[in-house]
Amino acid sequence: SGQTTAAVPCDPAAPAYVIFTSGTTGPPKGVEIPHRALVNFLTTMAQEPGLTAQDTLLSVTTVMFDIAVLELFGPLIVGGKVIIADRAQILDGFQLVKRIDKGDVTLMQATPTLWSMLLDAGLKPASGLKLLAGGEPLPDDLAARLVAGGAELWNMYGPTETTIWSAVQRIEPGAAITIGHPIGN
């Protein structure tokens, strides 16, 4: 009560974590992500696509995939909330849609494949919901369906080696889909 802990010094170049690539461009390899890169990434994501203390992110990504880092730590660095979907919800699009429909989720990140599955399960993304899509190309028809109800859609792109996402683009209705522009630094 009333006590604080002393700051723990950390070398910005020291590894924050090591994650193995999928091997899509050759044999899988371990990638060391330094603290500096992770802090830059999370700080940049808080600015664009934007995270606030009022956000509640529904986390659906296994920690075996580097994009889970954004889901777990992004909202927390700005004072927001993280809800971790349970395995049954993640495996059943209808249960996941039911969870989103509770109305407390403001942000979710998923692959286009999962977004498509959720739309097929009845998801109707509306204004007030920010959707991040990455890990696969974002098809035009899927993007159109995701923004039709007023939700905000962001296309995310980046290889593991550049600390998760390295480019972002807000996708406006009817606009061409691109990987956008580089994140900060």
Side-chain angles (χ1 to χ4, degrees):
S1 66
Q3 293 182 342
T4 60
T5 57
V8 177
C10 177
D11 177 357
Y17 63 90
V18 175
I19 193 161
F20 281 80
T21 66
S22 63
T24 54
T25 59
K29 59 191 168 295
V31 178
E32 275 188 11
I33 303 298
H35 281 270
R36 172 187 299 116
L38 181 58
V39 169
N40 179 74
F41 170 74
L42 292 170
T43 303
T44 299
M45 292 294 104
Q47 296 167 2
E48 185 182 40
L51 301 164
T52 71
Q54 289 70 47
D55 278 317
T56 299
L57 183 143
L58 181 59
S59 176
V60 299
T61 304
T62 172
V63 295
M64 305 286 273
F65 192 11
D66 63 351
I67 68 173
V69 171
L70 174 60
E71 295 178 17
L72 299 175
F73 298 114
L76 299 180
I77 67 163
V78 296
K81 295 178 189 169
V82 177
I83 297 169
I84 300 175
D86 65 41
R87 184 168 173 77
Q89 291 170 327
I90 294 167
L91 294 175
D92 181 342
F94 294 97
Q95 284 191 41
L96 200 53
V97 168
K98 186 176 179 182
R99 178 62 193 88
I100 294 166
D101 285 347
K102 284 186 176 183
D104 57 342
V105 172
T106 62
L107 177 63
M108 190 174 135
Q109 170 179 248
T111 61
T113 298
L114 181 55
W115 284 125
S116 183
M117 182 180 90
L118 294 177
L119 289 170
D120 291 346
L123 180 67
K124 295 185 178 13
S127 182
L129 188 59
K130 187 179 295 187
L131 315 174
L132 309 182
E136 307 164 352
L138 178 61
D140 290 330
D141 60 334
L142 177 60
R145 291 174 64 201
L146 288 169
V147 298
E152 186 176 317
L153 176 62
W154 289 80
N155 193 27
M156 316 295 282
Y157 171 79
T160 299
E161 294 84 348
T162 63
T163 312
I164 310 162
W165 304 130
S166 52
V168 299
Q169 181 65 46
R170 182 167 180 186
I171 304 301
E172 300 290 347
I177 296 181
T178 72
I179 62 170
H181 58 275
I183 71 167
N185 298 313

